Amino acid sequence: MNILIIGSGGREHALAWKLKQSSRVTRVFVAPGNAGTAIGAENVPIRETDFPALIRFAKDNRVGLTVVGPEVPLVAGIVDAFEAEKLRIFGPNKAAAQLEGSKVFCKDILHKGNVPTAIHKVFYDADSAVAYLRGGHDMPVVVKADGLAAGKGVIVCDTRDEAVSAVNRIAREREFGAAGDRLMIEERLHGQEASVLAITDGETIVTLQPAQDHKAACDGDKGPNTGGMGAYSPAHIVDDRKLHWIEEHVFVPTVHALNRNDTPFKGVLYAGLMMTAQGPKVLEYNARFGDPECQPLLMRLKTDLLDVLELTVEGRLYHLDSLKWDARPAVCVVMASEGYPGVYEKGKVISGLDEAAKHENVKVFHAGTSTNDNGEIVTNGGRVLGVTALGDTISDAKNAAYAAIQEIQWDGAWYRSDISDKAVR
Ligand code: AMP
Ligand code: GLY
């Protein structure tokens, strides 16, 4: 079977790498892909939101399954567009993808399902949000733009003044455009965060092993928020008992609430959880694999991913045997461009990739990379590589990832040096 993967990040390189290992897969195309997917698979120069061109490509190349990586095409309705043409595609349709596309929709579903989450209030204009803040106690809150804002529309505030300025950025200065048409003020939760992903066909739920991301740019979780500077799995803060609790109290009621809402969900339910003193609470749902969580998860998954994705699309996930995992932990460390998550330059030549590839139990997943006119691999984004390693212990995996990183260089490359330390502490 030929596969088409939509997207160009580390997640999509990991998906391509994993699907290539299936005995039933012939060709793997990635649109638009990166320099890593160009080597391991075949890149197709089509943008991820150009649905007519993607559909034409899928038909012309006898693609048996399309797998969508990022949220933007999902929320824009790529699944509906493919299904209208009788093409098989993995991911939620436009209505169900609102779970990630609208934080207000997500909260409605969580309430319908009685799923634990932070207390919140929705506002349609800046004046009423500011009046609400001025009328209450000066306490830490989180201000969120309703729509997609590339992970930037969430502002964690320590004081009322910070919250008022966050409201102004979203609703008056319109920093996030139409994503700020509605906004939410939410109780600030405390604890460690965990990413727990489940695959569902709308009936059966298959929970993946827990993972933990590192969203802050700098060591010790300091500095600005990023797309994620590293991840590891399993995450010990979610032990088997907690994982079971999350299945029962988070995923099952969410899937039921989505069905009752007439927006049945097929694809990846990614719960961003805060492990509070009162138990796990949902911070947000994403409607896709996490990036970089996908990299360590797929490095550990032994089950044929094609089986999982196909049975989901066919609504026959109850047929799937229990997932098989490598018992060894995996750690992914992101190498980023100088300036990220702010402005950064592109086109820096990356050296040492071949040497890094020789390291055992290590896989270097590409994210923001491309090939220049001289055939050299160069930087092409903020998060550039996800160096991922397996080890007998989490420390072994961490050391293996950082040893491979020592081989790789470009002008301005940087990374966090403490990925997975939370697991050891
Ligand atoms: P989100 O895009 O909703 O995951 O938010 C991005 C980040 O903001 C999360 O990973 C958390 O670190 C933080 N965050 C979101 N909501 C809350 C909350 N209610 N309390 C504390 N931190 C939060
Ligand atoms: N790792 C965070 C995300 O994928 O949104």
Side-chain angles (χ1 to χ4, degrees):
M1 186 191 300
N2 293 342
I3 307 280
L4 171 61
I5 295 169
I6 313 285
S8 61
R11 164 183 51 211
E12 288 75 24
H13 189 192
L15 286 166
W17 169 82
K18 181 70 186 159
L19 285 166
K20 259 267 142 137
Q21 294 166 26
S22 169
S23 57
R24 295 192 293 123
V25 167
T26 322
R27 296 173 76 180
V28 175
F29 304 104
V30 188
N34 57 40
T37 58
I39 298 164
E42 298 170 63
N43 284 355
V44 181
I46 306 177
R47 278 181 303 115
E48 55 196 38
T49 47
D50 188 350
F51 301 164
L54 291 169
I55 286 170
R56 209 173 317 123
F57 179 87
K59 286 183 175 171
D60 291 348
N61 293 277
R62 295 193 298 118
V63 168
L65 180 68
T66 297
V67 183
V68 189
E71 63 277 15
V72 169
L74 290 170
V75 171
I78 190 171
V79 170
D80 311 64
F82 270 63
E83 285 179 346
E85 299 289 329
K86 304 262 179 299
L87 292 167
R88 296 202 313 166
I89 182 162
F90 176 87
N93 64 15
K94 184 174 183 168
Q98 283 301 300
L99 195 63
E100 175 164 3
S102 163
K103 296 192 189 310
V104 175
F105 177 94
C106 178
K107 282 288 192 187
D108 286 344
I109 294 295
L110 292 173
H111 282 273
K112 267 205 171 94
N114 203 17
V115 178
T117 184
I119 297 165
H120 80 291
K121 226 170 142 47
V122 179
F123 297 93
Y124 294 83
D125 62 88
D127 289 344
S128 48
V130 170
Y132 170 79
L133 289 168
R134 298 262 183 241
H137 294 289
D138 188 358
M139 60 177 194
V141 294
V142 183
V143 182
K144 300 184 173 184
D146 175 53
L148 289 186
K152 298 197 176 92
V154 173
I155 306 164
V156 179
C157 308
D158 286 317
T159 64
R160 175 159 42 205
D161 287 346
E162 277 178 45
V164 169
S165 98
V167 167
N168 287 335
R169 281 171 60 192
I170 294 172
R172 286 196 229 272
E173 290 149 32
R174 310 282 292 168
E175 200 175 311
F176 311 104
D181 284 350
R182 294 189 289 188
L183 63 92
M184 237 161 60
I185 298 177
E186 197 173 279
E187 160 202 19
R188 178 150 162 209
L189 300 176
H190 297 279
Q192 273 206 54
E193 286 180 50
S195 307
V196 182
L197 283 65
I199 296 180
T200 181
D201 59 3
E203 296 287 338
T204 305
I205 298 166
V206 175
T207 306
L208 309 188
Q209 288 267 293
Q212 196 170 38
D213 189 8
H214 297 65
K215 291 235 173 90
C218 309
D219 284 7
D221 288 338
K222 303 274 191 307
N225 197 41
T226 71
M229 294 303 297
Y232 66 95
S233 169
H236 302 280
I237 46 163
V238 183
D239 57 19
D240 286 349
R241 199 176 52 85
K242 281 217 183 72
L243 193 62
H244 191 74
W245 190 95
I246 290 163
E247 273 174 357
E248 198 172 59
H249 296 91
V250 174
F251 289 128
V252 170
T254 297
V255 168
H256 281 269
L258 284 159
N259 284 337
R260 278 192 280 128
N261 193 55
D262 245 345
T263 50
F265 189 102
K266 271 186 190 186
V268 180
L269 278 175
Y270 161 158
L273 299 163
M274 187 73 93
M275 312 304 284
T276 74
Q278 294 86 40
K281 292 190 183 184
V282 175
L283 291 174
E284 62 158 355
Y285 264 120
N286 294 319
R288 49 169 175 84
F289 285 105
D291 191 345
E293 292 95 323
C294 188
Q295 290 82 312
L297 282 171
L298 291 187
M299 203 128 163
R300 295 188 57 222
L301 183 69
K302 287 186 155 174
T303 303
D304 186 333
L305 183 62
L306 180 60
D307 291 345
V308 184
L309 303 185
E310 258 198 315
L311 289 171
T312 305
V313 170
E314 292 164 1
R316 298 192 300 125
L317 203 48
Y318 57 84
H319 263 300
L320 187 76
D321 291 334
S322 299
L323 293 179
K324 297 207 174 42
W325 296 95
D326 194 321
R328 291 175 297 169
V331 173
C332 170
V333 181
V334 170
M335 298 182 74
S337 294
E338 185 173 4
Y340 175 80
V343 284
Y344 53 83
E345 289 176 16
K346 298 178 178 180
K348 311 281 184 199
V349 176
I350 305 170
S351 67
L353 287 166
D354 292 339
E355 289 73 16
K358 289 181 194 139
H359 286 234
E360 231 180 296
N361 293 319
V362 171
K363 177 71 193 168
V364 179
F365 293 113
H366 288 228
T369 65
S370 65
T371 309
N372 69 13
D373 293 340
N374 302 328
E376 295 161 315
I377 294 181
V378 296
T379 64
N380 189 39
R383 294 191 292 173
V384 177
L385 301 171
V387 181
T388 311
L390 286 163
D392 288 333
T393 65
I394 200 107
S395 303
D396 290 343
K398 176 190 170 185
N399 291 338
Y402 282 104
I405 280 182
Q406 300 315 311
E407 310 276 9
I408 303 171
Q409 273 177 345
W410 72 83
D411 184 18
W414 66 275
Y415 48 86
R416 272 180 69 159
S417 68
D418 65 345
I419 301 302
S420 83
D421 284 359
K422 276 187 260 197
V424 180
R425 237 179 277 130

